[in-house]
Structures are given as structure tokens and as C-alpha cells.
Amino acid sequence: MAGGVTPLQGGMLPDTIAGLLPFGGLAADVVASLLGAFLIANFLLINTAFAGPWAKRKITAAFTDRIAVNRIGPFGLFVIVADAVRLLSKELIIPEGADRPAWDLGPLLIPFSALLGFAVIPMGSGLQLADPETGLAFAFAASSIASLGLIMMGYASNNKYSLLGGLRAVASNIAYEIPLIVTGISVVLFTGTLQMSAIVEAQRTALVSVAGVTIPQWFAFVNPFAFALFVVANVAEVGRNPFDIPEAPTEIVAGYQTEYSSVYFVLIYLGEFIHIFLGGAIAATLFLGGPAGPGPAALGIVWFTAKIWAFFLLTQWLRSAVPRLRVDQFIEIGWKGMLVLSFANLVLTAVIVGVITTL
Amino acid sequence: MSLEDPEPDAPARVEERSPDELAELLGDDIIDREQHLNAPGYVIRPDAVQDVLSTLRTDAGYDHLSCVTAQEYEDRYESVYHLRKFDDPTQEVSVVVPADRESPVSESAEPVFRTADWHEREAYDLVGIEYDDHPDLRRILLPETWQGHPLAKDYDQDRPQVVPLRENANPLQEDTRSEQDADTMFLNIGPHHPATHGVLHLKTTLDGEQVADVESDIGYLHRCEEQMCQNGTYRHQIMPYPDRWDYISAGMLNEWSYARAAEDLADIDVPEYAQVIRTMCAEMSRIAAHLLAVGTFALDVYGDFTAIFMYAIRDREKMQNLLEDISGQRLMFNYFRLGGVVWDLPEPREEFFEKVRDFLEEFPTALEEYHDLISSNEILQMRTVDTGVLPPEVAKNYGATGPVARGSGVDYDLRRDDPYGYYDELDWDVVTDDGCDNYSRLFVRLREMEESAKIIEQCVDLLEGWPEDDRTIQSNVPRTLKPDDDTEIYRAVEAAKGELGIYIRSDGTDTPARFRIRSPCFSNLQTLPEMAEGEYVPDLVAALGSLDIVLGEVDR
């Protein structure tokens, strides 16, 4: 399948790095893979560092007529450093009766599952770790591992609020992951493949060309309905307003993360932000042409970053503007609304694809 | 009970019976007659409380047990039930129940008025009267382990409250399950919880996520306000305390409750000019308090520090600046004085009026924004309509007042029904809503702010045109106030949360012999189980938010 991929966009990152190494063979492959993973992970962590302590505050402040962090460094950017020091130097409080290995593993699973998902995402400018034929399935599977972490945290904390949060998290993930994946499959019907680079490639051709302006065949334009469904399910999947039921600060304190402090708290938050970015990345890959955008293909990473940040911005906007649903309403919308709509969308897409192919 | 089908002869209920007719109605249960400044008082037999109260309720229409005051005399204990009518609160009756000095026991009024439950528990807790037939006579404000009753005469303040550790071991440690149903989970919501608006502790039993049972545990913020007022002199030392009951900017309204009671007790006139200023300040406080109530309710439902909360705080800030201009304080105003207010409006007056008018001009736009963001938001409607339902008869039975009662369609507002200040000269409406749910209570508050703005505007017009030589801000009040011996009065005003009443008994000295605060939040909070049981946890939180309680006022 890699045949149709242009050199700049294709060529996995480890291959590129291996080519630059002074030695070859298996050692080069291993070192290059590790270096590549290191680079991608750091890229995301840097994004998260901006998103968490700084951008989130700034965006929320803008929505609520405030100024927010502006004291340390330009635009208050150094607050990232200050916050990192503050959070990491806090005491790690371990509740009595915590189920230890599980309690410690939960916060680790969340960021790493989200990072794992990024392994198959084509981020443009030649930044992609691997491109298996089952790429999309892998991305969904990796991001779902987080649910395991959530229920571990909820159960192992020995706290009723955590337990409620963990149960809510699992209920919401099950209810919304199915519509999410079924909607994702409707894209696969168009492309005929699960491979991420091929899905991006399929969106490169022009949909329509009006007065010199070419609108590419992004699936968001081809099937806006599926895109809307996907975004909604995605917001629920990453647990943001109006679907932030698992955390629901005013109801169950902080849900599964009630008992976590210090490093673990940082890990959980890190994981949640990477998860938002992963949600954005999958949406961008499936519906928004991945790293595609005007200008030379080398700018791919810029466009890709812009798209995942756009999704981040959307979650923050919702957080500031939309009330939270009640847990039963939330589950009801998932099973009775989203699931039905996503299957309807699948059937509709299948019909459209059938019509196109017979023409 | 006749709760479900109210008496069909509604007009008869508003009709007032003379004290003698009432005495005839009650017959042998009366052992003596008294005259309180606000109402006739009937001393009744301690074992006839339920008979008397239910007769007064069903036959004479006194359907609002406003307050229960307990006190100790040299020779006896006394519980005073302050009754009035929801339809006409100026019709009042005090039912006085004496109890024996040695073993103070009288019959509980709880089976007649649910609101008596907490009031009598408080009386038991602080004064030490025991109520027969009370379903759950425990301490309410003080810890279970407390020794003695602080407002009783023989209470030794210096005696240390020594509690052995094993007796005071964390009572919440045990996982209390309901015995009938082992599938339920006991959950402590509070005293430290984001949604309890202070130190309130809700003992909830959950069935899945649904609330099977909820019980409020209050008293964490009890500061002996009643006793402190009893130790202060009428003239100056009591006025600062009301600010500290409902401290959500509603200070001016609270001050008025004391001012009204004490002025009527000592027969002090208030100059008209001061009444207009008071009316304006009170409505400003009400807007500030309602803004916070709306903001925090949105916070409870929305979940995060969302735009609406900050918007509400922003507008409240403008109001706070105005109140600061007037009183010099932002929270503890201490602006009212017996017989008027402490000083005139700030100079230059034109500038101040300009500021108020600027606020009033922007306020409708701000309110529209709130309606866009909150009341017309579909998700919020999904969350709040038909949740936390409080039927009007239940609300009355629990003595709910203020926006909580008006959100249940009970048309009761002391500003109109028991006029004081300058309200009856102004043009405004009482807002009610028949929804009885969380949404109605929110909506009533939003609409009430409009009415308050109308009142402020009329006050500003009046004050601007007030002749300069007629601006008396205080009448002549003696430096030391000593109301007549054994005079009793119960007076209430419409505070931000509802009927805030003060009972004062004077004993001829310059400090009150008994100072009782009827806190609207205290009575309103009692309705929480009615609203929340059977609902989901998020609706419990929303119902609590819609009650708009301030723990400083609940616990006093």
C-alpha cells in the first residue's frame, strides 16, 4: 500500500533516522525506533505542557472575562515551569487501604495508552512511527486501554467517590466507544483500508473545484454528518463537558482521581490532555485530511498540530459554555441516540459508496 | 392529613378572627392569655400543643409555623410557637407552652407542622426542653457529645467539654448500610465537598446513583450568634452581628430584620428619608445575593468554573462597589442603625446616583445574557425542569419561604404582605412560578432581580428629588435603650433567602433577655429530603444549589 505515498509524507520516521545513523543493521533499526518514539512522545508532552498549565487557563479566562496567568515570563508562559515544580514537589498522599499495585498502575496506564495511540498517526513532515495495515484499529484499541486505568484507579482508591467515578467512566466509555468506532468505520468504507497513511492519501484528491479554489476530498466535507457524530462521541470519549460525568467535580468531587496527588495527579492530567490530542488526531486523520493543508508538504506537522489544537480548543469552549448532563441522560443519549445514529450513518455511507462504485 | 385536599372554603381562611374568638375556639386548652407586641399570645397546656396547633391551622387558617422560640425563666421553661398565615402574614398568633422547671417536657408540634422538627431539636439542643412525641429528638447544632444546654440558666460556660476519644471516634468511619436493603451504599457528602456551599454534611444512602435517603447534618458553623446578641446592648452592639448570618452580600437585609424588631419593640420611628435609603440598600443586597445564588447554581449544574459563574461575579462586583460607596464596607456593612441609617448617601450625590443609574441601565442586558446562558439553555432545562420537585403544600408545611416558596407557587412575600420600609409606596410585583422544581426557583431569582432593579430605580428617583432640608437619616434614639420589662416581639423581613425573623424578649435591661433568629435557610434546608429522595445524585446537588443556603445563617 505504501506505493502511492509521496516521499515527504511517507518514509516512516524510524527509517529516516536509521538512514542518518553511522551504523546499520538491526541495531540501527532498534536505536532509530526508540529515538523516533522518544521524539514523538516529547513532541506531545511539549504540546501538553503548553495545553495544561497555560493554554487551558488562558482559554478559560478568555471565556470568562478574565486575564489569567500573566506574571511569570512572556504571556505568563513560565508558569508551566512553576507549575511543574509545584506539582512534582507536593507530597504524594497514599490513602489507607489503597490496593497498591493497581493504585499505582492506573495513573501510568492513562498517559501511556494515549501516547501509544500516536504511534500510528501520520503527523505530516515524515513524522509517523509505524504504519501497520490495521492502523485505525490499533489507534482505537490503544486509546481504549485508558478505560482500564480509570476503573483501576476508581476501584483501588478505596474511596466511594472514586468508585462512582470509575463506574461512570466505564459506563461512558462503553456507551460512546461503539458509536465512535462505528462512525470511524464509515470512513473505512470509503477508503477500503484501515491503514492510516492510506486514509490520509484518499483525502488528497479534489472534491470540487470552484473558481480556482480547490476543496479537497476531506471526509468531513464528504460526510459532514459522520464528522459531527464522530466529534460528539470523541468529546464523550475524552470525558469533557457536557460529558464530563466521570469527574463531575460538583457531584462526585473528582471521580476516579479524587485520591491522587503530586506525581500521579500530574500523570493523570498529562494522560487526559494527551487523550484529548489523540482524539483530535484521530478525528483529523479520518476527517480532516491528516496533515494536509495549503503550502508545501513539509508544513504538514504545522497543519496537523493546528488541527489537534483546534479540537483541544473545542473541548475548552464546551467546558466553559455547556452544562453537564445527568448521568442517566448521558447514558441514554449514548445508547439510544448516538448508537442508532452511527449505525444509520454506516448504512447511509454504505449506500453512497455502493452508488459511487457502480457509477 | 388534609395536606392533599386543601379546604375548599378558601376565602374563610384570610378572614381574621378576633383574639377572643380564637380563645373560644381553643377552649379549655388555654390556661392564660398574654399580649405580645406583634400578636395575641395564648398560654396553653403542655400536653395540648398538637390539638391547639391543628385547630389553629385547620379552623383559623394559621398555616405557617414561622418560628419556635424556647427560653428559660426563673420559674419555668417556655416554648413559643409563632404562627401566621401564608395568605396574610400580618395575622399572627403566639402559642406559648410553659414547661416545668424541674423536668421541662411539652408535646411536640412536629406531627402538625413538619418545620417544627428542626426548630424543636434546636430548642432541645440549646435550651434543654424535651418534646414528647418528637420523632427524632437529637442535638442539631452542637455535637452529640455536648454536655449541658448552653442557653439554659444553669449552664456552666467554664466547664470544659471533655470528650473521651472513644466516644468521639469518627462516627462516619463505619459503613452504615440500610438494614432492609444491603444493596445500598452510604455516602458522606460534605462537610468538605465542592457542592455543599460551605460546611454542610449530607448523610446520603445511595441505591446505585439514586438517593434513597438523605439527612442533613448541620452545626459546623455554629457561632452562638443568639447568645452573642443577648450579651450585646440594643443600641449599638447587636447591629454588626446580622451581617454575619447571611454573609453573601445580604447584610443590609439582615440588618433590617434586627432594626425592624428592635424599633417596634422600643417604639422608635424611622424618618421617611432613611426608609427610602434602607429600601434601596436592601434591594441592592438582594440583587448581589441573588446573583451569587444564580452563579453558584449554574456552577453546580454546569460543573466547572464556567462563564456564567464569572459573569455573575462580575455583575455582583458592580453591586458590591455601590454598597461599598454607601457603607464603606464590602461584606459586613453595619450600615443600619436603630431609627435610621448611620450616615447619608456618599457625596457627591450626583456621582453616586450616576453610578447606580449606570448599573441599572446595563443590568437588563446582563439579565438577558443570563437568560440566554442559563434559563433558555436546553441542557440546563433537561437537568432542572421536573427535578427537585417541592409541591406548594409541602413547602408550606416545612415553613419554606423566599424564592424557594415562591418557586413552588406560594405567593408569599413579606415586603408586600407585611409591608415595612418604603415598599408599599413603590410599584413592583411579587414573582412566583408554579413549576415547583429546580428550574422555577432559579427562574424566580432571575425575575426577582428585575423587580429589585425596579425598586432601586424608584428609590433613586425619590432620593434625587428629596428636599435638602428634609434629609433626616436618624431619629432621636436614647443612648441607652431599655425597653419595658417582659415585652415580647417577633418581627420578620423578607431577606434574600426568605423570611428572616427576630424574636426579642426584653427584661427591662439594655440587653435582650432572649434573642431568637428565625433563619430562612434553616427552614428551607429542611425540605431537601423531600426534593432529593428518589432523584439522582446530580439532582440532589442541583436541589441543594436551588435552595441557596448559606451555612452561616443555617447554623448561626
Side-chain angles (χ1 to χ4, degrees):
Chain A
M1 280 302 288
V5 182
T6 50
L8 251 181
Q9 236 201 342
M12 297 297 104
L13 183 62
D15 299 341
T16 322
I17 297 171
L20 297 173
L21 289 175
F23 50 93
L26 183 67
D29 282 347
V30 172
V31 171
S33 301
L34 289 176
L35 270 178
F38 181 77
L39 274 177
I40 301 269
N42 269 297
F43 170 72
L44 286 160
L45 290 177
I46 289 168
N47 269 306
T48 315
F50 275 101
W54 186 77
K56 180 177 169 170
R57 289 180 180 161
K58 279 289 191 193
I59 295 167
T60 315
F63 276 117
T64 56
D65 284 354
R66 290 179 294 123
I67 299 168
V69 284
N70 67 341
R71 292 282 150 170
I72 330 171
F75 308 106
L77 269 172
F78 291 170
V79 78
I80 299 169
V81 182
D83 255 10
V85 173
R86 175 175 69 86
L87 286 166
L88 294 179
S89 58
K90 282 195 169 181
E91 186 193 352
L92 179 66
I93 301 165
I94 300 157
E96 215 177 87
D99 192 354
R100 266 322 275 282
W103 192 74
D104 300 276
L105 280 175
L108 289 171
L109 264 182
I110 296 179
F112 290 112
S113 69
L115 280 175
L116 197 60
F118 270 98
V120 295
I121 303 284
M123 299 161 79
S125 313
L127 292 172
Q128 187 178 6
L129 270 184
D131 195 17
E133 283 194 26
T134 52
L136 184 60
F138 177 85
F140 279 134
S143 75
S144 302
I145 298 176
S147 306
L148 192 63
L150 299 184
I151 196 166
M152 274 162 86
M153 287 156 60
Y155 181 75
S157 292
N158 191 26
N159 176 316
K160 289 167 184 172
Y161 289 113
S162 300
L163 181 65
L164 284 175
L167 292 176
R168 283 179 174 201
V170 173
S172 72
N173 278 355
I174 293 172
Y176 282 80
E177 212 147 79
I178 299 171
L180 185 77
I181 292 172
V182 169
T183 316
I185 289 171
S186 74
V187 169
V188 177
L189 284 184
F190 276 112
T191 60
T193 171
L194 289 165
Q195 196 171 27
M196 294 299 237
S197 60
I199 293 173
V200 170
E201 198 54 40
Q203 300 180 58
R204 282 169 68 95
T205 47
L207 182 67
V208 278
S209 209
V210 185
V213 181
T214 309
I215 296 173
Q217 195 186 346
W218 291 1
F219 290 125
F221 299 140
V222 178
N223 192 352
F225 178 58
F227 180 59
L229 269 180
F230 192 82
V231 169
V232 173
N234 220 339
V235 170
E237 178 68 17
V238 298
R240 298 291 117 183
N241 273 29
F243 306 125
D244 66 333
I245 314 290
E247 284 173 44
T250 49
E251 296 160 19
I252 50 170
V253 189
Y256 47 79
Q257 49 179 317
T258 307
E259 294 288 359
Y260 287 92
S261 52
S262 187
V263 183
Y264 285 163
F265 179 81
V266 175
L267 280 173
I268 293 166
Y269 258 79
L270 210 62
E272 290 197 350
F273 280 103
I274 302 176
H275 219 87
I276 298 179
F277 283 135
L278 179 63
I282 297 176
T285 309
L286 289 184
F287 289 98
L288 298 174
L299 281 179
I301 183 67
V302 177
W303 291 114
F304 178 79
T305 314
K307 284 168 191 171
I308 59 174
W309 273 82
F311 183 70
F312 176 73
L313 188 68
L314 174 78
T315 60
Q316 297 306 306
W317 176 25
L318 293 172
R319 178 175 178 269
S320 293
V322 184
R324 183 198 301 134
L325 292 162
R326 200 170 56 211
V327 57
D328 60 318
Q329 294 168 337
F330 169 66
I331 300 296
E332 202 172 291
I333 291 175
W335 288 111
K336 292 186 187 165
M338 296 292 291
L339 190 67
V340 176
L341 285 177
S342 62
F343 274 110
N345 171 58
L346 190 69
V347 172
L348 187 76
T349 315
V351 170
I352 294 174
V353 170
V355 168
I356 290 176
T357 42
T358 49
L359 280 180
Chain B
M1 270 166 93
S2 63
L3 274 187
E4 277 69 32
D5 29 22
E7 302 285 297
D9 51 336
R13 296 173 61 139
V14 205
E15 173 194 314
E16 181 155 20
R17 301 195 187 210
S18 72
D20 291 330
E21 280 173 347
L22 281 177
E24 205 172 305
L25 186 70
L26 298 176
D28 289 344
D29 292 334
I30 298 181
I31 47 181
D32 197 7
R33 296 266 295 266
E34 286 181 7
Q35 187 60 39
H36 296 178
L37 282 185
N38 62 308
Y42 301 100
V43 183
I44 62 163
R45 289 191 289 114
D47 58 352
V49 177
Q50 289 173 14
D51 280 350
V52 168
L53 291 187
S54 55
T55 311
L56 283 173
R57 180 190 182 139
T58 47
D59 297 343
Y62 290 93
D63 54 354
H64 179 27
L65 176 57
S66 180
C67 184
V68 181
T69 305
Q71 52 190 330
E72 188 184 3
Y73 287 87
E74 292 302 332
D75 59 337
R76 65 181 192 279
Y77 282 89
E78 209 178 83
S79 314
V80 188
Y81 295 84
H82 305 279
L83 292 167
R84 43 179 34 177
K85 297 181 181 178
F86 272 107
D87 293 328
D88 180 6
T90 55
Q91 296 182 31
E92 295 176 80
V93 161
S94 300
V95 176
V96 181
V97 186
D100 185 41
R101 183 85 182 75
E102 297 311 315
S103 59
V105 181
S106 66
E107 198 181 31
S108 168
E110 194 274 339
V112 188
F113 289 102
R114 276 291 289 132
T115 184
D117 180 357
W118 279 22
H119 281 276
E120 285 176 350
R121 275 178 69 189
E122 189 186 325
Y124 162 73
D125 190 0
L126 299 182
V127 183
I129 301 177
E130 289 187 20
Y131 293 92
D132 240 359
D133 204 20
H134 189 286
D136 185 24
L137 196 64
R138 285 177 295 132
R139 290 188 180 271
I140 185 165
L141 294 177
L142 301 177
E144 283 289 311
T145 54
W146 199 266
Q147 301 293 310
H149 303 280
L151 290 180
K153 286 201 182 301
D154 59 355
Y155 180 70
D156 180 8
Q157 283 209 45
D158 299 325
R159 176 184 165 191
Q161 293 284 338
V162 182
V163 177
L165 194 59
R166 65 175 179 283
E167 271 178 45
N168 207 22
N170 181 5
L172 314 175
Q173 209 167 27
E174 298 279 307
D175 187 3
T176 335
R177 280 166 201 265
S178 145
E179 274 173 20
Q180 303 86 16
D181 184 7
D183 291 340
T184 55
M185 176 170 86
F186 177 76
L187 182 70
N188 287 307
I189 298 182
H192 303 289
H193 184 279
T196 50
H197 297 212
V199 277
L200 171 68
H201 173 203
L202 297 176
K203 298 174 185 169
T204 37
T205 308
L206 298 185
D207 181 5
E209 280 244 11
Q210 273 166 319
V211 179
D213 183 45
V214 58
E215 190 198 329
S216 329
D217 177 16
I218 61 172
Y220 290 87
L221 204 55
H222 179 54
R223 293 154 298 163
C224 320
E225 291 280 351
E226 288 180 4
Q227 194 171 25
M228 288 200 290
C229 291
Q230 278 166 221
N231 293 339
T233 56
Y234 289 106
R235 183 75 172 91
H236 290 298
Q237 291 182 344
I238 295 178
M239 195 51 96
Y241 290 127
D243 288 323
R244 284 149 180 83
W245 303 339
D246 176 0
Y247 43 70
I248 311 293
S249 314
M252 298 277 192
L253 295 152
N254 304 353
E255 287 171 23
W256 207 340
S257 70
Y258 169 62
R260 189 175 187 210
E263 280 157 6
D264 284 358
L265 177 72
D267 201 15
I268 299 168
D269 285 329
V270 183
E272 210 170 319
Y273 179 66
Q275 290 287 32
V276 180
I277 296 182
R278 281 181 172 189
T279 310
M280 179 181 75
C281 296
E283 291 313 305
M284 284 179 169
S285 269
R286 191 182 313 277
I287 289 186
H290 278 3
L291 278 174
L292 195 74
V294 167
T296 47
F297 178 71
L299 190 61
D300 286 341
V301 176
Y302 278 49
D304 265 308
F305 269 84
T306 47
I308 182 62
F309 178 72
M310 298 310 294
Y311 286 5
I313 291 293
R314 179 195 64 195
D315 288 323
R316 178 171 170 271
E317 189 63 21
K318 295 176 189 163
M319 210 27 124
Q320 293 257 256
N321 288 339
L322 291 175
L323 288 167
E324 189 184 358
D325 283 349
I326 296 171
S327 68
Q329 289 287 334
R330 292 171 59 81
L331 210 58
M332 305 297 159
F333 306 111
N334 194 15
Y335 180 64
F336 285 26
R337 289 291 176 274
L338 298 188
V341 292
V342 63
W343 49 57
D344 203 349
L345 296 175
E347 296 286 346
R349 291 166 71 92
E350 294 71 33
E351 201 179 295
F352 172 74
F353 291 133
E354 189 62 37
K355 274 191 200 170
V356 182
R357 283 193 195 286
D358 282 349
F359 178 86
L360 293 173
E361 212 166 287
E362 292 165 13
F363 196 55
T365 331
L367 274 177
E368 215 164 284
E369 202 171 41
Y370 295 140
H371 280 297
D372 284 347
L373 274 167
I374 324 179
S375 52
S376 55
N377 184 313
E378 277 181 39
I379 296 183
L380 188 116
Q381 288 176 2
M382 268 171 73
R383 281 292 314 274
T384 55
V385 172
D386 284 336
T387 62
V389 176
L390 183 71
E393 286 309 315
V394 178
K396 285 182 179 179
N397 198 17
Y398 276 93
T401 49
V404 177
R406 290 193 286 273
S408 289
V410 179
D411 193 4
Y412 181 72
D413 190 323
L414 292 175
R415 291 175 291 172
R416 179 200 59 195
D417 300 336
D418 181 16
Y420 57 97
Y422 214 71
Y423 287 113
D424 50 351
E425 310 280 326
L426 304 173
D427 174 34
W428 59 282
D429 294 312
V430 175
V431 179
T432 57
D433 195 286
D434 290 331
C436 307
D437 50 19
N438 290 336
Y439 184 79
S440 316
R441 292 185 278 276
L442 169 80
F443 198 67
V444 162
R445 287 199 182 90
L446 282 168
R447 293 276 319 282
E448 260 180 31
M449 287 195 274
E450 282 170 38
E451 299 299 324
S452 293
K454 258 163 72 179
I455 297 175
I456 295 174
E457 193 165 13
Q458 295 170 55
C459 288
V460 169
D461 288 342
L462 282 167
L463 290 170
E464 235 171 359
W466 211 271
E468 205 167 340
D469 50 357
D470 193 22
R471 292 183 192 158
T472 325
I473 51 159
Q474 263 186 53
S475 55
N476 276 330
V477 181
R479 180 168 291 266
T480 309
L481 269 183
K482 287 186 178 170
D484 297 336
D485 192 11
D486 205 27
T487 324
E488 296 173 52
I489 188 164
Y490 173 79
R491 275 274 179 266
V493 298
E494 187 70 28
K497 276 64 174 177
E499 178 180 342
L500 177 59
I502 303 290
Y503 166 86
I504 303 177
R505 176 170 64 88
S506 65
D507 55 359
T509 65
D510 60 350
T511 57
R514 180 76 173 103
F515 191 98
R516 168 92 170 102
I517 307 158
R518 190 263 184 209
S519 144
C521 294
F522 183 79
S523 299
N524 289 352
L525 181 58
Q526 265 192 87
T527 63
L528 184 66
E530 293 284 339
M531 297 180 183
E533 278 169 18
E535 304 267 20
Y536 287 88
V537 178
D539 289 336
L540 165 74
V541 168
L544 187 62
S546 77
L547 281 177
D548 184 26
I549 50 156
V550 178
L551 269 301
E553 198 181 59
V554 174
D555 294 344
R556 290 152 286 139

